[in-house]
Amino acid sequence: MASNATVGQKCPSPMKATSNGVFQGDNPLDFALPLAILQICLVVVLTRGLAFLLRPLRQPRVIAEIIGGILLGPSVLGRSNSYLQAIFPPKSLTVLDTLANIGLIFFLFLAGLEIDPKALRRTGKTALAIAVAGIGLPFALGIGSSFLLRATISKGVNASAFLVFMGVALSITAFPVLARILAELKLLTTDVGRMAMSAAAVNDVAAWILLALAVALSGSNSSPVVSLWVFLSGCVFVICLILIVPPIFKWMARRCHDGEPVEEIYICATLAAVLAAGFVTDAIGIHAMFGAFVVGVLFPKEGPFACALVEKVEDLVSGLFLPLYFVSSGLKTNVATIQGLQSWGLLALVIFTACFGKIVGTIVVSLSSKVPLREALALGFLMNTKGLVELIVLNIGKDRKVLNDQTFAIMVLMALFTTFITTPVVMAVYRPARRKMECKYRTIERKNPNTQLRILVCFHSARNIPSMINLLEASRGVEKHEGLSVYALHLMELSERSSAILMVHKARKNGLPFWNKGRRSDSDHVVVAFEAFQQLSQVTVRSMTSISSMADMHEDICTTAESKRAAIIILPFHKHQRMDGSLETTRTDFGWVNRRVLEHAPCSVGILVDRGLGGTTHVSASNVSYLITVLFFGGRDDREALAYGARMAEHPGISLNIIRFVVEPETIGEIATIDVEENSRLKTMSLDEEFLSEFKKIPNDDSIRYEEKAVRNATESIAAICGAGRCNLYLVGRMPDGELALALRKRTECPELGPVGSLLISPDFSTTASVLVIQQYHGNISPSLAPDMEEESPNKDSESC
């Protein structure tokens, strides 16, 4: 689709594709390919930079892309004619628009994948009423405002097409942008989020139907019969797609098996079908994107086929091609055309009309459905979200000369304003109430060890699963009357990719944070692994998925632990073992998440440094043979580690070795110069002695072995740890108490692991044993961790260890 930018009256000569190079006297900017590459790079750098700057305001990326397009256009940088002639010359706009529309076609196919027709049929009455009100009232107000615009700044345009375009532009709710905002605000699983998503999905489908009508009416032929033929032909084509496409794609999906790569022929056939559908709708007289969107809606959502297709398409489309569409739109947006009191008054009128129609209509219907006022206000502003679909409507109207430059600029600014205010307003008017959960057991150490133990196990990828399952097998014990209950939480980052929102949309209907209740995706290897463990070990396992940004991931973990009344959260360390035995950083952000969980957790926390506990597969109960060593210096964290070890020792295949480090009498007070309150130290020692007394009474049999090692300083402590012998797993407290521990703290490299844990993973300590570092819940943040939290953020690349 060529741009209708009017720079000069003479038709520019076509550009050659490639140059011969600067050494042969060619200017690369005079040729189509190098100029297109420069344009793409410039667009990507600018939009990503703006998205980074707007991230603290929690704005969706579409805001950055709209602003980036405006900045590159005649409103700002385009005021320089030399810039426009060099970077965006008129003869390059055809290539730019073609690339942008190819990206748009495939993006609309991905957007169609987000719409589930089955979910639309299950839409509740309240959500349906909100959707109808959110379309009807703004559409009517849009038609009303169009009369005023036609009488002032839009004289001579096609009346019927202009009425419909204005109505559609004001009634649209951007479904993908709304989903992104809800995910960022942690509202997807609330009643507000569910109603907003259901209503927006209905609104989205209705908007496309209305837009098809508007496009049919905006043809260059003035005869209404032609417009009728265009619309009826589009309806017939959609019906043909409904009858033909789903059986073919379902046949392909059945031939794509879980765990196996999807055949290339199926991917190519699908992409070709998307382009073919786009060609047919364009030939009919409706935009090519309609065919792509319908194919996406009809595509089967479950199974590995859809996931493989999305992975192969979305990064290239969303990252490179789609931003070109925003630039193409920005090159047509000239804010300078809004001049004088009349034009600015019309802008204010359009913004007020758009907001009033959506917000008031939604609030009235919500209140009549007995939705609380704050939730109704939040729904009103959420439904007022605009985005890419809005720009598509406006660009089609501009290209078909239904909207002139001034009207187009006013409508773009309206879309930008309404979307920008959504996040801050919703954050101000609505905060979902968090019910305080009463939890009797927040630690493993408890007076009655026969009560049920609830564990929340977190993991980032399949690499973490075998060792986590083997740790759970060791944790279940055999003498506990109420057994073990496990919640397995798969931590996934909410990225800017469409597939992340697709996963959220599928998972959000299942509870908090995002649950896989029985109906899981066939590609979910994680759920399969934990279901197998549940069947083999008779342990209650509930698999879940949390999809959130790195900055908020710890909130999901802590909220889930509290709601499930977990006694301990087990997290994977942010480093994994390489083939040579050394530890390599998986991702620094994961370490930041672990430290935030340690700070805010409502229960005890364990961090597992995995060195292949039990190998790469699940070890059955009859084959378990582990030696577990507890290094005990003193304090609540060490007692928690020992309590966990005592539970593991009940397993017939596990031996527990307890090593208590004590200070030789003649060196007490000489190890560290740090003052320790005498009363606190005596109380800690008393609790330690009381806790250890039962282990001292146990004879050193094959199951539990207790020994004390007297040392004089930190060096001797380290030597004693190194000489502790081989084992499969070390259990240590994160922040042990006592003079020995204070001396060791000077050597702490990883604050989340504490001094002993840092020592056990250091290159100087040669071991193949995994390490589980435990912090006992005690209601307040560890002082040694608080300074680190203030200095670091998940966006920094610096490592803690």
Side-chain angles (χ1 to χ4, degrees), residues 254-265:
R254 285 194 299 268
R255 297 177 65 87
C256 299
H257 302 293
D258 188 25
E260 298 180 5
V262 177
E263 292 187 30
E264 183 186 7
I265 185 65

Side-chain angles (χ1 to χ4, degrees), residues 174-212:
F175 180 82
V177 179
L178 175 63
R180 173 75 49 194
I181 292 173
L182 289 171
E184 288 284 350
L185 298 180
K186 301 288 183 186
L187 296 179
L188 272 167
T189 57
T190 63
D191 291 338
V192 167
R194 280 191 283 269
M195 280 191 287
M197 288 288 279
S198 299
V202 175
N203 189 298
D204 210 28
V205 173
W208 287 110
I209 296 173
L210 291 173
L211 181 56

Side-chain angles (χ1 to χ4, degrees), residues 229-287:
W229 272 113
V230 170
F231 186 72
L232 292 177
S233 299
C235 294
V236 171
F237 179 66
V238 171
I239 293 172
C240 291
L241 286 180
I242 293 173
L243 296 175
I244 297 172
V245 168
I248 297 175
F249 283 146
K250 287 179 180 178
W251 177 82
M252 292 182 182
R254 285 194 299 268
R255 297 177 65 87
C256 299
H257 302 293
D258 188 25
E260 298 180 5
V262 177
E263 292 187 30
E264 183 186 7
I265 185 65
Y266 298 147
I267 301 293
C268 293
T270 303
L271 299 182
V274 172
L275 292 174
F279 172 80
V280 173
T281 50
D282 188 81
I284 289 173
I286 310 175
H287 198 286

Side-chain angles (χ1 to χ4, degrees), residues 192 359 362-364 366-368 370-381 429-430:
V192 167
I359 296 171
T362 302
I363 289 175
V364 170
S366 300
L367 292 176
S368 64
K370 298 181 180 179
V371 175
L373 178 60
R374 283 185 173 273
E375 293 187 8
L377 283 170
L379 276 170
F381 281 96
V429 302
Y430 179 70

